[in-house]
Amino acid sequence: MATVYVNDVPVEIGNDRLNCVQAVARAGQFLAHYCYHEALTVVASCRMCMIEMGDLKDGKVTMIPKVFPGCQTPVKDGTVIVTGDYAKRSVGHEPLPYDPKYVPGKLAKKAQADTLEGLLINHPLDCPVCDKAGECKLQDYSFEYGRAESRLIDPKNTPPNKPELSSKITLFTDRCIMCTRCVRFTREISGTAELMVKNRGHHEEIDVFPGRPLENRLAGNVVDLCPVGALGSKDFLYTQRVWYLKNTDGVCSLCSTGCSIHVDTNKEIVYRLRPRHNPAAQGHFMCDDGRWGYHYVNSGERIVRPMMRSDKGLSPVSWYEMLPKLRADLTQAAAAQPSQVVAVLSPFLTAEEAFLWGTFIKGLSPQARLALGPVPVVGEDDSYPKNVHGQPVEPTKFTIRAEKCPNRNGVSSVLKQLQGDVIPFEKIAGETGLSALVFVGGYPNREHLQAAFPPNWKAPAILVVQDLFSSSLTEQARYVLPGTAAFEKEGTFVNHAGLAQVFARAVRPPIEARGELQVAADLLGRKGLVQAAGVRKELAAAVPFFDGLADPPSPQGKRLELTTV
Amino acid sequence: MKYEPILLARIHKPNSHQLEGYRADGGYAAIEQALVDKKPADVIAQVKDAGLRGRGGAGFPTGLKWTFLPKDHPGPIYLCVNADESEPCTYNNRILMEKDPHQVLEGIMLACYAIRSEKAFFYVRYEYGTAYRALEAAIAELYAAGLLGKNIFGSDFHLDIVLHRGAGAYICGEETGLIESLEGKRAWPRIKPPFPAIEGAFRKPTIVNNVETMACVTQIMRRGIDWFKSLGVPPDPKNPRDAGSYGPKLYTIAGHVEKPVCVELPMGVSLRELVEVHGGGVWKGRKAKAVNPGGLSMGFVDVLAPLKGEDGKTEYDIPLDFNGPGKVGCLGLGTAAVTVIDDQTSMVDVLHNVTQFFSHESCGQCTPCREGTGWMLKIMERFRRGLGRREDLDILVDVADRIGIIPGTTICGLSDGAGWPVKTAIRKFRSEFEEAIRKGEPSRYAKPLQMVGAH
Ligand SMILES: Cc1cc2nc3c(=O)[nH]c(=O)nc-3n(C[C@H](O)[C@H](O)[C@H](O)COP(=O)(O)O)c2cc1C
Ligand code: SF4
Ligand code: SF4
Ligand code: SF4
Ligand code: FES
């Protein structure tokens, strides 16, 4: 077994090939870094990760009298790493037998402070108006490892800002610390290579080639990769101070990749989405469609309260008045012609919602039918990196899927369990004799929904629609119920590859709305507030596909056996 | 006894750059002979045993470097000839390329034969138009004569030499910067390992050698080990790691001398002799104050400072071999370009010029070098306005000490070279800087150049 020592702490690394940043992390410690990123090539240029290094051999430690960039330096059996944090190490480990004249951590500590001093030389320090403040690695590391006072009295360089860099992203050129993460991202992950470094020395700047702005469907990731406030998302710019944001683990619902995300909210408003590293889902990144596609939740056009149709058209109604009527209508229809009662469960629903709605409908009559809602497909799967001709090249590092919904797999498995097969929506849309149709939607984009209906589609007498936005469907509905967005509920999505991810609620739905899960529970006659976790347990017990979810899964999610779908 | 130049023997001949004359002087006999009676390993052994150390600046033993290539590699293996020659006051490569290109090209052929390379890239500093055209013509002559291409001299040795015009930056001379530039990218030096011998140009094993090194290879193969070792300085017996400083060396003399010149002498000539004898002495009857022994990067020699342990001698008397400059706190022999600064010149102006050069030439990857060189320049600009402070001297020395591959904080040696002149100037001429601080007078010279927009 290979053992390395990090500030005297022995760590077993087995046969893993690690650099010092990784080895230090294995030891439960932290080595500050800027240019290093697990998903990008190592350039070892920022020089934040400086360490001291040596060897423990035959009970003797030999240290090399200089510093090394930890990100570039591999470790092997007997490697001794001493970081600038040596003095802060946890007590309880015997110091290694260093040369008595050697002061562990002195060189590394100075090198790190020197690097930070260098980075601040041309840095504007406009933290009060900088979006990154509060989550800025330059602030954090300067505070942790830097010098308290500046020794610079000369004027700083003031390169011009570049708001025209991209329609979605702006560059505060003077805040850049030249880590080149953004450049490497566009070369190595998106492959689109829009970004470059121009000029030399301390006049270096990030820029794009003339007439070739940073426009690709993964571009937003450079904002997250940027350790400082140089690259800013125009969408988020000056909307919030990050320390007011609440971060909730979520799952993006805009394609079947199902990226793990952070949902950043304040006072029940979603302000920003960021990718949450999840090797089992998408990796480190997310696409711009998802990143900036959250605005529908904050839309003023949403259906925000229940409505019922009378002679005078649709008008607001209270839940306690509407639900008994709704249930009575459906019960009656099911008694008369059970197979003409159909519920359409959309692939935007959580598995729990689909399960509870399905249970309710099948409880009206086992012959009542369940169909899978329209599955929006736009174009083709879009894989990265691209080559110069825009063609994807192997190995694939990111795929934006054509299937623009998060949970076809989850909803299908529920349907399969409850009625043995999955009826596609097209079949239902072509039928004429329906007596009641319950459409449980949640479509962020009403066009995707409307496109699935034949132009002259005629609604059955009883049409119940729960959705986010009004559409040709709600125009004909007897009951219109406000739907909830993925951020507004807890539940489980199963992505294209069968990865089930449970996510938490990030914001409350509109005040008069009731979530799909709650409506189903109410209709089932269950008392009180429904808990998604409880329904998940029922689901796990009832549907073998989900039995892995009986215990709360890790934030990484759980891969389910797709063969049953 | 006057030394008879070997490397520069032909440069004053008419049409010294042409193939005909070179062959008439016995040119290309060494490669022809080697192809008949030597194996590649024999050539490597001869170069190694001669004790040739690279002339590009680092002084790495050439034969040893060649043995770092992977054994039995299926190829291709590349040779890159470094003619980026951008160290201030260095122009010996230029003379060789313009006046005797065939001597260099024969060395390239020998080196390629030795390392089993069939393609050499000749990376010529952008500004060297004349050298480029001389080489272009010389290479064309070789192809026309069947001495390049396939089956050279009827053997099974093939070689193509690709002439490449550089990207116009000092950093293109750093060997991995050169390789990146050759590949069409910014000349950002690569992190090592892997070293070029394992993975270099186009990800293939690559040897990078200087132009003068190539000329020495020609002469070693022509004249033999004994000739080479008869010149220069044997290893210091007290230093087991010293590989000696054998052979002839082209010294360039520039700055405040009467006669700026490139001279060829056996390694180890003293700085004093070079300046006072070969350079015709300091100009305008003045005295020397400071000298760069091997290009700006190597730092300054204080002409008047006594040499420790050597009675009556000063730093001016150090020998210019691979070890000499190190004895007085300089970085090394570098390019053996001697720049003289006379006693009427302000070290503040000199140092300003130095920091301007390095901040302009820093490729900008590494934080310590990018920001350190820029900061040092800003401080020196302020000094020239008469606004220097005592604490600036400490900052300058601190920054100069902390940037470089020797402390371990950067990717390449440019930053060591940026730090050395600063710290040697301040350590050796501190009183002059303190005087400037006290007086607070602006410099007599013009404003600094605007260099923001440079590539
Ligand atoms: C900043 C920098 C610039 C350099 N410029 C040159 C150059 O112009 N020419 C050169 O031959 N070597 C230059 N070198 C040295 C090369 O990296 C390399 O050591 C040399 O080309 C090897 O050749 P040699 O072994 O024949 O000396 C430079 C090194 C550094 C760090
Ligand atoms: S990038 Fe960081 S340090 Fe710089 S202004 Fe923004 S918050 Fe402050
Ligand atoms: S813009 Fe940000 S990510 Fe890009 S090089 Fe500068 S600091 Fe790094
Ligand atoms: S030391 Fe300076 S020149 Fe060399 S790679 Fe780093 S920034 Fe570039
Ligand atoms: S993180 Fe190691 S040098 Fe940048």
Side-chain angles (χ1 to χ4, degrees):
Chain A
M1 274 300 246
T3 307
V4 303
Y5 300 84
V6 178
N7 293 333
D8 304 337
V9 180
V11 205
E12 299 289 337
I13 58 161
N15 293 323
D16 296 346
R17 292 154 58 97
L18 304 179
N19 65 32
C20 295
V21 176
Q22 295 165 318
V24 170
R26 281 279 173 98
Q29 303 181 41
F30 178 68
L31 183 56
H33 53 274
Y34 288 118
C35 64
Y36 173 68
H37 188 283
E38 204 179 64
L40 304 173
T41 50
V42 173
V43 291
S45 63
C46 75
R47 302 283 153 158
M48 188 61 227
C49 62
M50 304 314 293
I51 51 149
E52 293 156 30
M53 224 179 77
D55 259 326
L56 176 65
K57 214 167 163 187
D58 309 326
K60 227 181 120 241
V61 176
T62 326
M63 298 298 290
I64 308 169
K66 60 186 270 187
V67 287
F68 294 85
C71 64
Q72 187 207 329
T73 311
V75 297
K76 57 181 196 327
D77 190 33
T79 297
V80 174
I81 301 172
V82 171
T83 75
D85 276 344
Y86 185 85
K88 297 188 217 158
R89 75 198 179 285
S90 56
V91 283
H93 288 280
E94 272 299 299
L96 298 177
Y98 302 110
D99 185 318
K101 288 198 286 292
Y102 168 67
V103 187
K106 190 175 159 203
L107 289 179
K109 195 171 171 184
K110 177 169 189 303
Q112 287 190 309
D114 289 349
T115 291
L116 287 162
E117 180 173 49
L119 289 175
L120 291 180
I121 286 203
N122 283 303
H123 194 83
L125 282 171
D126 49 357
C127 310
V129 294
C130 177
D131 260 13
K132 202 74 168 194
E135 55 181 17
C136 169
K137 294 283 184 284
L138 189 56
Q139 281 185 330
D140 293 355
Y141 298 165
S142 293
F143 177 73
E144 189 86 13
Y145 312 104
R147 294 196 173 88
E149 278 171 35
S150 170
R151 296 194 286 172
L152 177 94
I153 63 160
D154 299 291
K156 292 175 187 251
N157 297 346
T158 51
N161 289 342
K162 296 180 182 142
E164 70 290 358
L165 193 80
S166 154
S167 60
K168 298 284 175 44
I169 298 160
T170 184
L171 174 64
F172 296 94
T173 317
D174 52 356
R175 290 182 194 148
C176 170
I177 60 166
M178 289 309 309
C179 70
T180 71
R181 277 181 171 198
C182 55
V183 176
R184 281 175 284 148
F185 178 86
T186 62
R187 292 186 184 168
E188 297 165 16
I189 309 292
S190 70
T192 47
E194 295 97 341
L195 293 176
M196 59 140 175
V197 177
K198 72 170 194 194
N199 296 347
R200 254 188 348 231
H202 64 145
H203 292 298
E204 261 178 3
E205 292 170 26
I206 299 296
D207 208 340
V208 289
F209 296 90
R212 304 271 313 268
L214 173 60
E215 306 290 351
N216 68 69
R217 290 173 81 193
L218 297 181
N221 290 295
V222 300
V223 176
D224 308 320
L225 283 170
C226 184
V228 294
L231 287 165
S233 155
K234 290 183 180 173
D235 180 66
F236 181 67
L237 203 62
Y238 306 134
T239 57
Q240 285 290 302
R241 302 285 15 191
V242 299
W243 50 87
Y244 293 130
L245 293 176
K246 189 179 87 185
N247 318 121
T248 310
D249 285 1
V251 174
C252 178
S253 62
L254 296 191
C255 93
S256 60
T257 296
C259 291
S260 297
I261 55 173
H262 297 288
V263 185
D264 294 342
T265 62
N266 183 17
K267 297 200 176 119
E268 309 302 331
I269 297 173
V270 178
Y271 284 101
R272 180 174 73 167
L273 304 184
R274 288 173 298 137
R276 172 164 55 91
H277 178 219
N278 186 354
Q282 86 286 13
H284 287 276
F285 307 112
M286 74 185 292
C287 83
D288 292 357
D289 305 16
R291 177 187 301 271
W292 290 310
Y294 67 88
H295 286 280
Y296 71 92
V297 260
N298 302 336
S299 165
E301 290 179 29
R302 279 184 57 183
I303 303 170
V304 294
R305 58 181 62 87
M307 288 182 287
M308 210 159 68
R309 192 172 297 280
S310 63
D311 309 340
K312 285 176 266 154
L314 275 180
S315 49
V317 61
S318 72
W319 286 101
Y320 68 90
E321 191 183 330
M322 172 204 252
L323 287 176
K325 288 201 177 128
L326 170 59
R327 183 170 11 175
D329 274 356
L330 293 176
T331 312
Q332 216 172 23
Q337 285 176 294
S339 65
Q340 294 307 327
V341 174
V342 175
V344 174
L345 304 181
S346 99
F348 286 91
L349 296 181
T350 66
E352 292 85 343
E353 289 165 344
F355 174 69
L356 221 53
W357 266 102
T359 307
F360 165 66
I361 298 292
K362 285 289 178 186
L364 294 173
S365 162
Q367 280 102 58
R369 287 179 294 157
L370 301 173
L372 176 65
V375 176
V377 174
V378 179
E380 284 170 20
D381 286 0
D382 188 16
S383 290
Y384 294 82
K386 302 286 195 216
N387 63 15
V388 282
H389 308 295
Q391 302 301 317
V393 286
E394 299 285 343
T396 296
K397 294 181 176 161
F398 197 92
T399 302
I400 307 170
R401 279 170 219 279
E403 186 175 299
K404 295 295 169 206
C405 58
N407 201 23
R408 183 178 52 78
N409 273 330
V411 174
S412 301
S413 320
V414 168
L415 297 185
K416 196 150 195 194
Q417 181 69 27
L418 296 181
Q419 73 181 4
D421 64 345
V422 180
I423 303 172
F425 176 75
E426 296 71 47
K427 181 164 182 305
I428 299 297
E431 288 185 19
T432 45
L434 300 183
S435 62
L437 182 75
V438 180
F439 190 92
V440 193
Y443 286 84
N445 184 341
R446 73 185 105 192
E447 265 107 59
H448 289 167
L449 170 62
Q450 294 184 164
F453 282 87
N456 51 356
W457 185 75
K458 181 112 184 33
I462 305 169
L463 175 61
V464 182
V465 179
Q466 182 165 25
D467 211 345
L468 298 170
F469 294 99
S470 51
S471 61
S472 54
L473 207 53
T474 54
E475 277 163 24
Q476 308 177 55
R478 181 181 292 182
Y479 299 96
V480 174
L481 287 66
T484 56
F487 311 109
E488 295 167 343
K489 54 193 168 199
E490 179 189 333
T492 307
F493 286 155
V494 183
N495 80 352
H496 72 100
L499 178 77
Q501 297 187 78
V502 175
F503 55 92
R505 191 180 76 177
V507 287
R508 288 206 195 95
I511 198 147
E512 288 180 57
R514 261 183 209 185
E516 290 79 352
L517 196 66
Q518 186 67 49
V519 174
D522 292 345
L523 290 171
L524 276 165
R526 296 189 180 181
K527 294 270 177 290
L529 281 178
V530 67
Q531 297 294 332
V535 179
R536 191 151 54 243
K537 279 217 166 67
E538 285 177 50
L539 171 70
V543 185
F545 177 68
F546 287 104
D547 62 6
L549 293 184
D551 307 314
S554 75
Q556 254 70 58
K558 186 154 199 156
R559 198 164 293 280
L560 303 177
E561 210 33 80
L562 261 183
T563 49
T564 57
V565 176
Chain B
M1 194 185 75
K2 192 165 178 305
Y3 171 77
E4 267 311 314
I6 302 292
L7 301 172
L8 299 185
R10 303 186 59 257
I11 62 168
H12 296 298
K13 295 196 171 180
N15 296 331
S16 63
H17 58 284
Q18 286 175 351
L19 179 59
E20 199 188 341
Y22 184 67
R23 293 208 75 168
D25 291 337
Y28 293 110
I31 178 69
E32 186 171 13
Q33 194 63 32
L35 289 175
V36 175
D37 64 8
K38 287 198 166 60
K39 291 196 186 57
D42 302 332
V43 179
I44 297 184
Q46 186 157 339
V47 169
K48 199 168 163 183
D49 294 344
L52 172 62
R53 291 172 65 176
R55 300 323 200 209
F60 197 85
T62 305
L64 183 63
K65 188 192 279 188
W66 294 355
T67 63
F68 293 160
L69 289 166
K71 300 278 165 297
D72 303 320
H73 191 274
I77 291 171
Y78 297 126
L79 175 73
C80 289
V81 182
N82 191 341
D84 194 60
E85 194 167 67
S86 314
E87 183 70 35
C89 297
T90 308
Y91 50 95
N92 51 17
N93 287 181
R94 187 183 117 204
I95 290 173
L96 289 174
M97 291 186 287
E98 289 178 2
K99 301 291 184 202
D100 199 0
H102 285 289
Q103 181 184 204
V104 178
L105 293 169
E106 185 173 4
I108 293 171
M109 292 167 77
L110 286 159
C112 286
Y113 178 65
I115 64 173
R116 299 175 187 276
S117 166
E118 298 188 347
K119 187 165 249 169
F121 297 97
F122 205 136
Y123 189 102
V124 187
R125 178 181 169 170
Y126 177 80
E127 292 84 341
Y128 277 4
T130 309
Y132 185 86
R133 286 183 287 276
L135 287 167
E136 204 173 26
I139 291 170
E141 281 180 303
L142 287 177
Y143 275 108
L147 296 186
L148 276 179
K150 297 268 177 236
N151 302 104
I152 295 167
F153 286 116
S155 71
D156 55 6
F157 173 57
H158 319 301
L159 177 66
D160 287 304
I161 299 181
V162 179
L163 201 52
H164 184 92
R165 195 146 181 192
Y170 178 56
I171 198 59
C172 296
E174 198 279 343
E175 56 183 1
T176 55
L178 181 148
I179 289 170
E180 286 281 297
S181 174
L182 183 70
E183 290 182 3
K185 304 179 222 152
R186 266 175 89 89
W188 273 14
R190 293 180 181 171
I191 50 175
K192 297 131 214 157
F195 286 92
I198 304 300
E199 191 183 305
F202 310 101
R203 310 220 88 103
K204 300 293 177 208
T206 301
I207 293 294
V208 183
N209 273 136
N210 174 262
V211 168
E212 187 184 338
T213 310
M214 290 296 101
C216 288
V217 167
T218 304
Q219 299 305 337
I220 288 170
M221 295 314 293
R222 185 187 291 185
R223 291 161 202 273
I225 297 173
D226 294 340
W227 161 76
F228 197 75
K229 288 197 135 170
S230 71
L231 304 170
V233 184
D236 179 354
K238 284 180 286 198
N239 180 357
R241 281 193 299 185
D242 181 14
S245 309
Y246 290 115
K249 179 80 194 88
L250 303 185
Y251 295 93
T252 53
I253 307 170
H256 300 162
V257 287
E258 281 294 346
K259 196 176 84 181
V261 67
C262 172
V263 287
E264 177 183 339
L265 290 166
M267 278 267 191
V269 58
S270 82
L271 200 48
R272 186 185 295 275
E273 184 190 327
L274 265 178
V275 178
E276 301 297 336
V277 178
H278 303 280
V282 181
W283 72 355
K284 302 179 185 170
R286 297 176 189 171
K287 297 237 150 20
K289 170 160 74 181
V291 184
N292 288 126
L296 275 193
S297 309
M298 299 299 118
F300 292 99
V301 160
D302 177 354
V303 169
L304 299 179
L307 200 57
K308 246 194 255 136
E310 307 240 7
D311 238 9
K313 289 194 172 170
T314 75
E315 291 189 359
Y316 207 19
D317 294 293
I318 54 163
L320 288 188
D321 57 26
F322 285 111
N323 294 327
K327 291 181 190 145
V328 295
C330 290
L331 187 48
L333 180 63
T335 59
V338 171
T339 314
V340 179
I341 291 142
D342 73 23
D343 57 358
Q344 309 276 304
T345 304
S346 155
M347 284 310 278
V348 171
D349 287 326
V350 171
L351 203 55
H352 172 262
N353 190 310
V354 169
T355 54
Q356 181 165 271
F357 176 77
F358 286 106
S359 84
H360 182 54
E361 296 298 342
S362 162
C363 86
Q365 283 189 89
C366 318
T367 306
C369 171
R370 176 182 70 244
E371 302 299 342
T373 53
W375 194 11
M376 294 196 295
L377 171 61
K378 285 179 180 178
I379 293 176
M380 288 318 299
E381 280 175 351
R382 188 155 41 70
F383 258 92
R384 294 224 312 165
R385 297 199 305 275
L387 297 171
R389 308 169 303 160
R390 287 187 75 93
E391 54 266 47
D392 290 327
L393 300 181
D394 300 333
I395 294 174
L396 286 169
V397 172
D398 180 31
V399 173
D401 268 338
R402 77 196 196 191
I403 61 178
I405 46 178
I406 296 176
T409 57
T410 61
I411 292 173
C412 90
L414 180 139
S415 47
D416 298 86
W420 236 271
V422 174
K423 59 188 167 192
T424 48
I426 293 178
R427 286 186 179 135
K428 295 183 182 188
F429 300 94
R430 195 174 178 101
S431 57
E432 199 180 324
F433 288 92
E434 288 173 343
E435 169 99 348
I437 293 167
R438 242 192 329 274
K439 283 200 181 136
E441 284 169 5
S443 157
R444 289 180 287 141
Y445 294 94
K447 286 216 293 255
L449 304 176
Q450 271 305 331
M451 290 186 159
V452 178
H455 43 134

